[in-house]
Amino acid sequence: MQNLSSSPNDVEKSLNDLPKARFWEILDICQWEGFWFEPGLVKPAAIFKSNFQARDDDVILASTIKTGTTWLKALSLCIMEKDHKTFANSHNHDDILTKESPHYYVPTIESMIYSTKTPHVDLYYTSAPRLLHTHLPYAVLPDSVRNSACKIVYIARNPKDTVISMWHFFNSLFGRNQEPFPLDKAVDCFCSGVHLYGPFFEHVVEYWQESQKRPKKILFIKYEELKSDPKGLVSKIAEFMGRPFADEGEVDDVLWRCSLERLKNLEVNKNGFTVFPVPNKSYFRKGEVGDWKNYLTPQMEEQINKISRIKLEPFGLFL
Ligand code: PAP
């Protein structure tokens, strides 16, 4: 890990000295605090780390990339709504999810607030409780997030499905009219940890360990559990956030509003951008558990299993 000062100005000055790499032959990335970022995101991340003041009633969602962030944002938004209205029958137009992408309402702090001079959310004036998200690793979170009473919900996903989701996402984002990036190279890159917000394994383990130490502070959920027991998990998230559902009808309603099929087919998610240059539609694909079986060779599967055995399983984490 780099032993560099985290003051934003020092970080900016030392940007050129940070280790650099090329991600998938498309993007330059650099390593800060042990993780890989686009260079333009390092200063915003450092500002977040040093300036952000958490409030006790904040709810912070956290994840590395392609592990279910969009789903968690939509679900949390519905859970945090003051009164759990029921929308399933006729009031589609009242549902804020039909008006903007979940990424608009639950901004990723480092990339949507501190990286622009004109963020659409003003952290100081946003009414409480604030619902925010970060892709940053646990060690980089501001002290106020770690030490205040604010709650963190982290979503993790099976690494093989994560890599396949990443592969589709970056191919569609950067590979227009080109051959997809070779999957074996994408798997090598994922396993080496030299990719955006990587290494995946360290990112997940840090939050996992912290959630074990402080279960009232950090709720660690798995994408696969959300798929296999959506009612149970969503009720658990709501209770953790201090907003339990009144009855099963409310749970069903939230799950319906946030279902992949529904969100994917809303006009607002079929068109436009919330975070340029990422089209809103690129956040929604298949949403299946085990899709990796359609793509990975036995060698690639073993390559990822091996690193999971080394980096996750000794901590009691099985993804
Ligand atoms: P991000 O890190 O760029 O924000 P993120 O939302 O974490 O992306 O991941 C996208 C994955 O979540 C996609 O998985 P796939 O490639 O395996 O299909 C996407 O389909 C899935 N996803 C998005 N919304 C939902 C949803 N409402 N329910 C289930 N899965 C979803």
Side-chain angles (χ1 to χ4, degrees):
M1 186 171 297
Q2 292 289 302
N3 188 19
L4 291 169
S5 159
S6 288
S7 124
N9 286 336
D10 290 348
V11 167
E12 191 171 31
K13 278 189 215 139
S14 48
L15 258 183
N16 284 337
D17 303 328
L18 297 176
K20 297 192 175 43
R22 191 104 179 115
F23 170 63
W24 281 25
E25 296 161 18
I26 41 179
L27 270 185
D28 288 324
I29 53 176
C30 61
Q31 192 187 36
W32 176 66
E33 301 275 353
F35 288 79
W36 292 92
F37 302 95
E38 283 176 81
L41 210 62
V42 173
K43 190 176 179 198
I47 299 176
F48 172 41
K49 182 177 163 71
S50 65
N51 291 12
F52 181 79
Q53 285 306 316
R55 299 176 185 158
D56 284 346
D57 56 1
D58 284 341
V59 174
I60 313 274
L61 311 179
S63 56
T64 184
I65 54 173
K66 309 325 289 177
T67 57
T69 314
T70 312
W71 195 12
L72 180 63
K73 284 186 178 186
L75 291 167
S76 305
L77 198 59
C78 297
I79 290 169
M80 295 289 284
E81 278 179 339
K82 285 202 171 53
D83 43 345
H84 294 131
K85 294 174 231 152
T86 299
F87 293 90
N89 296 325
S90 58
H91 303 298
N92 220 359
H93 58 276
D94 289 337
D95 185 355
I96 55 171
L97 288 172
T98 63
K99 303 197 169 86
E100 295 283 356
S101 149
H103 293 279
Y104 175 87
Y105 294 113
V106 191
T108 297
I109 310 173
E110 65 278 6
S111 60
M112 293 174 70
I113 294 180
Y114 288 116
S115 65
T116 161
K117 287 203 172 79
T118 52
H120 73 274
V121 170
D122 186 328
L123 284 179
Y124 296 98
Y125 290 100
T126 299
S127 58
R130 299 181 298 188
L131 178 60
L132 301 162
H133 166 261
T134 184
H135 275 314
L136 294 180
Y138 184 77
V140 177
L141 293 184
D143 288 344
S144 69
V145 171
R146 291 189 284 180
N147 300 334
S148 69
C150 79
K151 304 239 176 198
I152 300 174
V153 181
Y154 185 84
I155 185 159
R157 188 179 190 185
N158 172 279
K160 297 189 284 280
D161 279 335
T162 304
V163 82
I164 291 303
S165 187
M166 278 173 71
W167 187 65
H168 282 284
F169 177 75
F170 287 118
N171 281 328
S172 75
L173 202 57
F174 298 112
R176 280 179 204 97
N177 307 324
Q178 286 173 22
E179 287 288 297
F181 187 67
L183 184 56
D184 58 338
K185 286 194 183 173
V187 170
D188 285 346
C189 170
F190 183 77
C191 291
S192 71
V194 187
H195 58 88
L196 284 177
Y197 290 98
F200 168 93
F201 297 92
E202 278 74 0
H203 200 291
V204 178
V205 159
E206 279 185 6
Y207 279 96
W208 167 251
Q209 287 188 288
E210 209 50 40
S211 74
Q212 299 293 291
K213 279 187 226 151
R214 295 200 289 162
K216 290 198 173 123
K217 170 82 181 170
I218 305 185
L219 178 66
F220 186 100
I221 61 169
K222 298 178 186 169
Y223 183 90
E224 293 71 24
E225 288 174 356
L226 205 43
K227 291 286 288 190
S228 64
D229 178 20
K231 282 190 191 185
L233 250 276
V234 168
S235 303
K236 190 171 175 182
I237 298 170
E239 270 166 38
F240 180 78
M241 291 179 177
R243 311 236 153 190
F245 291 105
D247 56 51
E248 212 176 313
E250 287 185 352
V251 188
D252 288 339
D253 194 64
V254 166
L255 287 171
W256 169 78
R257 286 170 67 198
C258 300
S259 64
L260 178 61
E261 273 323 295
R262 177 174 186 257
L263 291 183
K264 191 178 185 168
N265 290 305
L266 291 176
E267 286 305 313
V268 68
N269 294 323
K270 286 201 280 189
N271 303 296
F273 301 82
T274 304
V275 189
F276 194 79
V278 184
N280 287 340
K281 67 176 182 211
S282 66
Y283 294 106
F284 307 94
R285 197 180 63 91
K286 260 188 177 172
E288 279 176 9
V289 171
D291 190 34
W292 62 266
K293 291 180 188 148
N294 297 315
Y295 298 92
L296 297 183
T297 63
Q299 287 86 341
M300 296 173 193
E301 178 191 351
E302 179 48 25
Q303 199 179 342
I304 301 177
N305 286 349
K306 189 173 167 196
I307 189 160
S308 299
R309 284 196 294 271
I310 297 169
K311 301 238 175 180
L312 305 182
E313 295 179 14
F315 298 98
L317 180 55
F318 297 86
L319 291 177

